[in-house]
Amino acid sequence: MYALVIVEYPVKTLDKTFTYKVPTTMYSLIKVGMKVEVPFGNSLIHGFVLNIFQKVPEVSYELREINRIVDDELILSPELLEIADYLKEETLCTKISAIQTMLPPGLKAGKKKEKNYTHYETYIKLNPSCRNILITSKGQQEIIDRLKVEKVVHQKEINNSSLKTLLRKNIVIAVKVQTYRLNNQIEIKKEKVLTKEQEEAFTKIKNGFNTSQTFLLFGITGSGKTEIYIKLIKEVIKQNKTALMMVPEISLTTQIASRFYEAFGNDVAILHSSLSKGEKYDEYLKILRKEVSVVVGTRSSVFAPLENLGIIIIDEEDSSSYKQDSYPKYNAKNIAEFRSKYHNIPLVLASATPSLESKARADKEVYKLITLNKRIGSSTLPEIHIVDMEKEMKKRNMILSELLQKKIKEKLTRHEQIILLLNRRGYSTFITCSNCGFVYKCPNCDISLTYHKTSNNLQCHYCGYLIKKSETCPKCEQTSLNYYGLGTEKLEQVLKELYPDSRVIRMDQDVTGKKGMHEKIINSFKNEEYDILVGTQMVSKGLDFPKVSLVGVINADTSLNIPDFRSNENTFSLLSQVAGRAGRSDIKGEVIIQTFNPDNFIIKCVEEASYEKFYLYEMAFRRKLKYPPYYYLIGIKVVGKTYDTALAEAAKVKKYIESHVSEETITLGPTTANILKYNDEYRFQIIIKYRFDDSLKETLKTIEENYATNKSCYIDIDINPTRI
Ligand SMILES: [Zn+2]
Ligand SMILES: [Zn+2]
């Protein structure tokens, strides 16, 4: 018997598979999809079995034997192996990197021995074979009496010297039991009764249970989408099937997870990036062992090894976080669609601000559109005010407008809560010297450094470069450093000064870096331990705080000014979503949006809460400029150690593409990328816009294999990038 094994191999574009002999002792054990240890050169490495066969293979190398099966529990299902092929084809990655992406830490294939993440806890019980119980102390007797009643007790509960004596005398024995790190003990709550509108949406999707139909659930903020998800999944579980619930951000996972624990108890596994490696490993095992029917998670949970899937739901489907920015650059929505077809089950894409692509597909009836137009209960959509910051500047209101200041005060006296959005972290976005003009810049990237006051550091938000801030200008040594640009850290400080009695909490990447911080901030704000929540876009989506009656957007122009074809869409979505955090219960909500562009069409659409108006405007713009959803995009970056080598190679790549694509395909560039110098490398960009082009993938593969393959230059291809 022989096995074809794919191994981790350090060549970017090439997969390496080798045939090995299967030792007779493994004949009945080995399966396709298993992780095995094989000899490779002088060392032992891990790989996955892709095929098992009897015929003597014709290979040019000496056949060696598989050393051992690494993990008899982990078997990649035929579905996951097909997904790996799909990923390879769609994103031009290698099959082995696709497989590695699907697996949690501890289960990936590596050259080094993987750390074992299995978690054990120690329990104690009476030794059944011990007849002579000689007791010398009262403490020991107590333990024995307890064990006679309870049989098994967690060692942590007793752990004293009497126990140690009993263990030494072998009267009591310790047993190690594998346990999971995450174990919730939440009581299951009864489900809420759905409104008529929710019930109708539920029924429409339920009617599509045995089809691979994609539904677009377009429901305004606060329309109660989560209750529909829960009811759908309960229905799926009744049919002995499983469900995958995806959310874009970790902060949302926390909130949805607790709703799901309340609905499904221990039948839920959670997968997201802020879990510890051990927790991820445990949650994955729960799924692999078929101990849970529901998985809630962020992007990579789309690879959860759920068998017998019954439904996939993607919440906030327009979020760019479903697309992975790093290799392999996959989009979880595409994988979900693949799985929906594989299992013949519905895929539900939900949002209050659907992506243009999804809305266009719904218009063409490729997706089935379901709308929710009412907020549940007595709540209504908030009132939106736009404030012209140019006028405010003249009144010296640099950060908070008169109206926003007044409203904050008003809400504070009424003990209602406030959310303020500022999509920039740090204290000041740049520091410059008024004497010599010096600006703190990242030496690796073409970008100014952001000042973080708490740590007194200057930080590059692109590559992470960090230096201590000096008191004087590093160039002319004068004490003439000035701080410009506003970040969340400074906003927090300003609020504390302006409203000294208020309790302010901040949520951004800087404070949520520590494990469990998301959860802590969200819970303490929900429990009304704070009055004002300041944050970046992390605070914009999905969060549900009944006491929030005011949402303020400090600078709506931040996302509008990003040079990207999606900046309008992102701005509309961000502002509409954050506005949706206000007035979610019986308190009336208000939203104040500060901008230097009060007449901007997108801002007007937000003010009128008109997705339809925004959609028509933006579609016309995309059609005119040949952007998605009218055209597909491919972004190619040629990255090099020097400006000249990168540019020269990019020009060659462009020439090759132009001579190999169809006439209708448009090739633009090379231009300098948004940030030309990044991580000490220069980046040039070529953009391809196309509608139908059968040979394009082949052309791209050829480029990857033949251009910029030397050490000083490389190519980075992004198919359907979410930003360019
Ligand atoms: Zn200076
Ligand atoms: Zn940098």
Side-chain angles (χ1 to χ4, degrees), residues 62-284:
E62 189 201 339
L63 284 172
R64 297 165 83 179
E65 275 195 351
I66 290 176
N67 195 42
R68 66 181 178 103
I69 293 167
V70 180
D71 189 336
D72 50 14
E73 257 187 302
L74 175 70
I75 301 165
L76 293 169
S77 66
E79 186 197 3
L80 288 183
L81 288 170
E82 272 190 43
I83 291 176
D85 286 327
Y86 172 78
L87 257 183
K88 176 176 171 151
E89 195 51 39
E90 286 299 301
T91 71
L92 303 177
C93 68
T94 56
K95 185 166 179 169
I96 187 67
S97 58
I99 293 174
Q100 300 282 51
T101 304
M102 292 179 190
L103 296 170
L107 292 175
K108 294 181 199 289
K111 271 181 272 341
K112 274 186 229 121
K113 209 168 169 249
E114 279 278 353
K115 194 178 161 205
N116 188 352
Y117 289 102
T118 319
H119 183 63
Y120 294 97
E121 281 176 44
T122 315
Y123 289 82
I124 51 161
K125 61 177 190 180
L126 289 171
N127 184 354
S129 53
C130 176
R131 300 268 173 255
N132 287 327
I133 302 179
L134 263 173
I135 303 304
T136 48
S137 82
K138 202 177 149 218
Q140 292 173 22
Q141 189 60 52
E142 274 171 11
I143 294 169
I144 287 169
D145 290 344
R146 183 169 171 188
L147 287 177
K148 273 181 183 161
V149 181
E150 292 179 41
K151 308 292 179 209
V152 181
V153 175
H154 203 294
Q155 185 168 13
K156 267 193 229 154
E157 286 178 35
I158 298 178
N159 226 1
N160 55 26
S161 60
S162 304
L163 178 65
K164 278 184 195 130
T165 315
L166 289 172
L167 282 167
R168 201 178 55 238
K169 288 184 180 168
N170 222 9
I171 297 170
V172 165
I173 51 171
V175 273
K176 272 186 159 188
V177 181
Q178 197 209 330
T179 53
Y180 298 126
R181 294 163 180 87
L182 291 182
N183 248 321
N184 71 85
Q185 304 293 340
I186 295 173
E187 209 182 304
I188 296 186
K189 284 190 186 164
K190 252 194 91 184
E191 62 187 282
K192 287 181 188 158
V193 180
L194 300 190
T195 63
K196 192 167 163 272
E197 205 184 36
Q198 285 174 314
E199 192 66 44
E200 277 169 15
F202 163 76
T203 310
K204 277 184 196 158
I205 298 168
K206 195 189 149 200
N207 290 340
F209 264 11
N210 294 310
T211 68
S212 57
Q213 178 66 50
T214 299
F215 292 90
L216 177 61
L217 181 60
F218 179 7
I220 60 165
T221 56
S223 56
K225 293 188 277 289
T226 311
E227 282 94 40
I228 302 176
Y229 307 155
I230 289 174
K231 192 158 179 191
L232 282 167
I233 293 173
K234 285 207 166 151
E235 203 60 34
V236 162
I237 294 174
K238 263 189 221 159
Q239 302 183 1
N240 280 324
K241 290 188 171 181
T242 60
L244 174 60
M245 173 77 229
M246 297 185 63
V247 282
E249 300 185 40
I250 303 156
S251 51
L252 272 180
T253 325
T254 316
Q255 216 171 31
I256 280 217
S258 63
R259 294 281 299 275
F260 271 51
Y261 282 142
E262 284 172 9
F264 304 104
N266 261 328
D267 205 10
V268 182
I270 307 285
L271 291 172
H272 63 75
S273 59
S274 79
L275 296 180
S276 72
K277 284 180 177 173
E279 285 168 347
K280 278 184 203 160
Y281 175 84
D282 279 359
E283 295 300 288
Y284 198 86

Side-chain angles (χ1 to χ4, degrees), residues 614-706:
F614 150 76
Y615 174 71
L616 293 174
Y617 172 86
E618 189 63 16
M619 284 295 272
F621 164 79
R622 301 277 181 95
R623 180 199 289 266
K624 205 171 139 203
L625 295 180
K626 298 192 166 71
Y627 275 120
Y630 293 100
Y631 274 72
Y632 295 111
L633 282 186
I634 292 170
I636 301 173
K637 283 201 178 78
V638 179
V639 188
K641 281 275 166 237
T642 70
Y643 184 97
D644 291 336
T645 50
L647 179 59
E649 198 66 18
K652 278 189 219 161
V653 171
K654 160 88 181 283
K655 209 170 159 197
Y656 182 86
I657 295 170
E658 271 189 325
S659 58
H660 284 83
V661 292
S662 79
E663 258 176 40
E664 277 176 41
T665 300
I666 302 160
T667 315
L668 302 171
T671 54
T672 55
N674 262 343
I675 299 151
L676 166 67
K677 195 181 169 206
Y678 174 82
N679 240 337
D680 218 8
E681 290 172 329
Y682 291 86
R683 310 185 307 163
F684 287 88
Q685 184 165 262
I686 297 163
I687 289 164
I688 304 174
K689 294 178 179 179
Y690 73 102
R691 277 151 74 92
F692 312 99
D693 202 327
D694 291 338
S695 59
L696 197 53
K697 284 260 165 72
E698 280 314 309
T699 309
L700 294 175
K701 279 182 199 163
T702 316
I703 294 169
E704 245 192 354
E705 280 160 30
N706 297 305

